[in-house]
Amino acid sequence: MPWNALFRFARKKHPLPGADGVRGPEPLTHQDTRAAIEELSQAVRNNPESVEIYLALGNLYRSQGEIERAIHIRNSLINRPGLDQALRARSLFELGRDFRRGGMLDKSREAFSQSAGLMGDTEEVQLELARLAADCGEFERAAGHYARIGQNMAQAHYLAQQARDCFRHGDPVQGEQLVQQALAAFPASPEAWLASVVHCALQADIPALRSTLSSACASIPADQRFLLLEGLLDVLSAARIEDGTPGLPLSADVITRLVRACVDVLTALEPDALICYYCSKLCLFEADQDNARHWLEKSLVLNSDFWLARLELVSLVLTDLELTPFLRDQLAYFVGHARKSKRFVCKNCGFRWDKTFFICPRCRSWHSILFRQEFS
């Protein structure tokens, strides 16, 4: 019986919740995986020459975190006399995955390279090498691997990562070159535009900030512009705290001019609830509560269900009300906890997080993030 038939048999013998066709397939539980391992182990004993069963068994061990067992199985296959080259290459490929899962990154790269030498420089190998380079912090190398398989979005992402490192380490020329390479690969890359906008802000280059932010907003889809503004707010918040970082903090006067330049650029855009919300957040950097309130009210006109804009508006109004200390403390408590609600969601899998992301931590989709404007 083929190994995949045995694997299906194991799952049939230990059905998953919802396997009646009412819901979609769900991942194997620990118990289901152990059952599949028992079935395949028995199949191996009955048919020790079946390479496919060994490969499947190794994959199951890896999924369970039993890396040493998985590696032992791959090596036993690789060293088998007369093994077909394609199967040897596949065994080396899976061995690379085992090493990567076990944190043995140098050995992982060597196994992938040996696999590529046998079965060619395939997209599958390039993808694994790209992920491996990213794990090692070799962002430019990761971008090169993604470029070879035509994944321009990922290529731009890692070029932008490398550019940020260059800016951080005082090499603005190389950083700008990498940003331009990223934008040439993927002109709508929010990561690349953010790296450039942040660099302009930290250099207090107001004209460059205006120009870059304006170009970024014109290039990036409207529902992703918040990635720029969220990143910019984080940087400005960190820049006004004295932490010993070279070139920081920015003076209060510089931050005021940066904020006003950003608000001017955003004001020129087509009205949007999120843009208005971020204008209010920028105004609060200058403690300009009147303008912040104006932008929040405008945001709620555009989307009356925008819960976070309403929450910030309530917070501002509370400062004007005469409340007992007890009631003020209670309201401040609820507002503070409401602010901790996860604002960002993946439109593909529904994953929610309180920080922005370019790759969904759950489903690994690119640029699937949305700002959760309506509270549910």
Side-chain angles (χ1 to χ4, degrees):
M1 181 183 295
W3 71 267
N4 54 342
L6 281 167
F7 185 70
R8 287 195 298 270
F9 173 73
R11 292 191 63 171
K12 188 174 181 181
K13 192 172 181 180
H14 302 270
L16 295 174
D20 53 1
V22 176
R23 293 185 293 171
E26 299 180 16
L28 284 175
T29 64
H30 178 80
Q31 183 178 357
D32 296 319
T33 307
R34 295 309 308 179
I37 286 175
E38 289 173 11
E39 296 289 346
L40 291 179
S41 297
Q42 181 60 47
V44 164
R45 286 190 288 271
N46 294 337
N47 187 6
E49 298 302 316
S50 178
V51 176
E52 290 84 357
I53 297 178
Y54 273 103
L55 287 171
L57 186 58
N59 291 350
L60 287 174
Y61 278 131
R62 183 176 64 222
S63 71
Q64 289 292 95
E66 299 181 47
I67 304 301
E68 289 185 6
R69 285 190 172 188
I71 291 172
H72 175 75
I73 287 175
R74 314 301 187 194
N75 283 327
S76 68
L77 287 175
I78 293 166
N79 296 325
R80 180 179 291 188
L83 183 66
D84 179 77
Q85 287 290 80
L87 291 173
R88 192 183 304 278
R90 189 69 201 179
S91 300
L92 282 164
F93 179 82
E94 296 298 344
L95 180 63
R97 284 180 164 175
D98 297 337
F99 282 138
R100 179 167 174 253
R101 175 75 182 272
M104 294 169 275
L105 302 185
D106 289 340
K107 290 184 176 181
S108 177
R109 178 172 290 149
E110 182 182 354
F112 286 133
S113 298
Q114 290 178 11
S115 176
L118 292 174
M119 67 178 182
D121 207 8
T122 65
E123 179 174 338
E124 203 173 21
V125 170
Q126 284 296 322
L127 188 58
E128 290 294 338
L129 288 171
R131 291 169 177 167
L132 187 59
D135 289 345
C136 295
E138 299 170 348
F139 301 128
E140 203 166 357
R141 176 181 281 187
H145 288 301
Y146 279 116
R148 291 187 190 99
I149 56 178
Q151 293 196 16
N152 297 336
M153 191 182 294
Q155 177 191 0
H157 173 85
Y158 287 107
L159 286 171
Q161 288 267 75
Q162 188 70 34
R164 281 199 294 273
D165 285 350
C166 290
F167 288 138
R168 192 180 302 117
H169 296 133
D171 189 355
V173 174
Q174 179 66 15
E176 190 57 40
Q177 287 177 355
L178 289 165
V179 166
Q180 294 307 314
Q181 289 177 35
L183 293 175
F186 186 61
S189 169
E191 302 97 316
W193 284 112
L194 177 59
S196 189
V197 165
V198 165
H199 176 64
C200 294
L202 292 180
Q203 294 300 307
D205 189 338
I206 306 297
L209 176 63
R210 286 178 181 273
S211 173
T212 304
L213 183 59
S214 179
S215 297
C217 289
S219 302
I220 296 173
D223 62 355
Q224 291 182 6
R225 289 173 182 162
F226 73 90
L227 290 168
L228 283 177
L229 304 174
E230 191 71 25
L232 184 59
L233 283 171
D234 287 343
V235 166
L236 291 178
S237 296
R240 65 180 180 183
I241 299 173
E242 296 196 31
D243 61 357
T245 305
L248 300 181
L250 297 173
S251 68
D253 176 63
V254 167
I255 287 183
T256 295
R257 289 190 289 121
L258 290 172
V259 164
R260 291 178 180 174
C262 292
V263 171
D264 287 346
V265 171
L266 298 180
T267 302
L269 299 175
E270 185 176 345
D272 172 88
L274 265 180
I275 292 295
C276 293
Y277 168 76
Y278 278 103
C279 283
S280 74
K281 297 292 286 184
L282 286 164
C283 288
L284 289 175
F285 264 88
E286 299 184 84
D288 185 354
Q289 295 192 0
D290 289 339
N291 272 324
R293 190 175 304 177
H294 161 76
W295 284 111
L296 289 170
E297 290 171 350
K298 192 171 181 179
S299 180
L300 288 171
V301 167
L302 294 167
N303 182 1
S304 60
D305 293 326
F306 192 174
W307 64 278
L308 193 53
R310 193 172 295 278
L311 182 70
E312 295 296 342
L313 189 57
V314 167
S315 180
L316 288 176
V317 170
L318 286 178
T319 62
D320 298 335
L321 299 178
E322 294 184 6
L323 303 172
T324 64
F326 175 78
L327 182 55
R328 186 176 297 279
D329 287 345
Q330 299 309 307
L331 289 172
Y333 173 84
F334 284 115
V335 168
H337 274 266
R339 281 197 180 112
K340 296 177 183 177
S341 295
K342 295 176 180 177
R343 295 175 289 159
F344 308 112
V345 60
C346 172
K347 63 185 177 184
N348 290 340
C349 70
F351 173 79
R352 293 179 181 179
W353 214 7
D354 56 354
K355 296 182 291 185
T356 57
F357 51 87
F358 298 105
I359 311 171
C360 175
R362 179 190 289 168
C363 70
R364 310 304 298 171
S365 55
W366 287 88
H367 297 175
S368 59
I369 187 173
L370 293 175
F371 194 111
R372 193 163 64 97
Q373 294 189 41
E374 297 181 10
F375 190 78
S376 60

